[in-house]
Amino acid sequence: AQSVTQPDIHITVSEGASLELRCNYSYGATPYLFWYVQSPGQGLQLLLKYFSGDTLVQGIKGFEAEFKRSQSSFNLRKPSVHWSDAAEYFCAVGVRSGNQFYFGTGTSLTVIP
Amino acid sequence: DAGVIQSPRHEVTEMGQEVTLRCKPISGHNSLFWYRQTMMRGLELLIYFNNNVPIDDSGMPEDRFSAKMPNASFSTLKIQPSEPRDSAVYFCASSSGLAGAGDTQYFGPGTRLTVL
C-alpha cells in the first residue's frame, strides 16, 4: 500500500539556522510529490511540488525540496529559518496512475529566537 | 478570487444533533475534497468529487457521514447523528483536476466542530 512517512513529529530550530524536514514515500513508481504548510488556525497552503525533471524544486517563502529516487525521499529545506516559518508541514503524494492522494502525518516546526 | 469558502467556521453542537458543513470551491475548479483533521489521526481524506460526482468515498468513516455536491459551486458534508468523536477540524479543498493528476489543492480555512 502507498504511504507517506514524516519521521519527525516535532522539530525546534533557532531563527537563522538551516532546516531540513524529512519525507519518505512508499510507492512502486514515482508519484507526484508535494509539501504543504499549515499555519495555526489556517488551512493548508502549497509550498512546492515535484512532477518530473529537475530533482531540486524551488518553492515559495525560500523553501526548496529535493527528490531522491534511490531513497524514495522528498526532503524540504530552507537555508535560514524565520520566526514566521513556525507551522505544521505536510508532505503529500499523488498517485499518477490512479486518483489517490495521501498526506503524511505532519511535522510541527518551532522557531526559537 | 475569494478562495475556498467554508461555513460555519466554528460549530458547537450536542451529541445526536445533525451537523451540516458547507463549502464553496474556487470557481472553475472541478474537483472538491473533504478532509478531517484530528490530533490522533492527522489529516484524513473523507471523500472527493470530480465534476460533481463522488469518485472515492472510502474515507468516510461510517453511514452517519454523507456528502453531496449538487452543483459545481457548492458541497455539503453532513453528520447525522453527531457524536463526540466527530469533533475535529473539517477542511474543504478544490483543484482543477483529479488528485492523481497532481493538481494543486487549495484549502479553505476549515470548520472547527465540537460535539458535546
Side-chain angles (χ1 to χ4, degrees), chain A residues 32 36 38 46 49 51 95 99, chain B residues 37 48 91 100 102 104-105 108:
Chain A
Y32 297 110
Y36 282 84
Q38 183 181 26
L46 181 72
K49 60 184 177 182
F51 281 9
V95 176
N99 49 26
Chain B
Q37 186 178 40
Y48 80 90
F91 288 103
T104 300
Q105 294 183 33

Side-chain angles (χ1 to χ4, degrees), chain A residues 57-76:
Chain A
V57 181
Q58 302 297 321
I60 62 172
K61 304 184 180 185
F63 285 92
E64 66 178 27
E66 185 172 12
F67 168 59
K68 292 185 176 180
R69 185 190 307 275
S70 61
Q71 299 177 18
S72 296
S73 68
F74 189 56
N75 294 349
L76 181 71

Side-chain angles (χ1 to χ4, degrees), chain A residues 32 34 36 38 41-46 49 51 88 90 93-105, chain B residues 9 33 35 37 41-43 45 48 55-56 89 91 98-110 112:
Chain A
Y32 297 110
F34 305 79
Y36 282 84
Q38 183 181 26
Q42 303 295 317
L44 279 71
Q45 180 187 22
L46 181 72
K49 60 184 177 182
F51 281 9
E88 188 91 13
F90 292 90
V93 302
V95 176
R96 293 174 185 254
S97 60
N99 49 26
Q100 293 85 15
F101 193 86
Y102 305 95
F103 277 95
T105 52
Chain B
R9 292 295 308 276
F33 308 80
Y35 290 90
Q37 186 178 40
R41 301 175 68 90
L43 196 63
L45 176 63
Y48 80 90
I55 303 300
D56 185 355
V89 180
F91 288 103
L98 293 176
D103 290 303
T104 300
Q105 294 183 33
Y106 295 84
F107 282 75
R112 181 174 295 277

Side-chain angles (χ1 to χ4, degrees), chain B residues 11-14 18 25 37 49 65 78 112:
Chain B
E11 176 81 30
V12 180
T13 189
E14 293 187 344
E18 177 179 295
Q37 186 178 40
F49 295 83
F65 286 70
K78 184 177 293 186
R112 181 174 295 277

